[in-house]
Amino acid sequence: QSAYGGTSDHAFALTPNPANLVILGSQALVPRQFHSGLTQGIREALEAHGLRVSFLDDRFYHFRGGNLHCGTQVLRDPR
């Protein structure tokens, strides 16, 4: 048994990674955090840049080692 409680030597993130958000125009789609303090800090930081923030439940991806962007097909326009 590993130090993380499982039978694997792999570590898993305790919270979804907010860096894997998806931005659509002025809307930021962010993985829902499991701690309200993280949620508030992320919201404040993104709203300071003029983004509207929506937190989405991405537990399906998170508990399988993925994140919100894994379930999207976004055409990016780097400027």
Side-chain angles (χ1 to χ4, degrees):
Q1 184 159 342
S2 76
Y4 300 102
T7 57
S8 171
D9 289 336
H10 300 262
F12 295 94
L14 295 177
T15 61
N17 188 346
N20 291 319
L21 61 90
V22 175
I23 296 179
L24 302 171
S26 63
Q27 179 73 41
L29 306 176
V30 184
R32 183 180 302 154
Q33 301 300 297
F34 303 144
H35 186 278
S36 61
L38 290 173
T39 300
Q40 188 59 31
I42 294 165
R43 179 182 303 283
E44 290 172 3
L46 294 174
E47 286 178 347
H49 292 280
L51 295 170
R52 292 179 320 211
V53 182
S54 295
F55 288 91
L56 303 178
D57 183 357
D58 77 335
R59 286 178 291 178
F60 177 84
Y61 300 105
H62 176 69
F63 293 126
R64 288 165 179 80
N67 216 294
L68 183 64
H69 69 282
C70 296
T72 62
Q73 294 183 4
V74 177
L75 180 61
R76 306 201 185 274
D77 182 17
R79 295 179 185 181

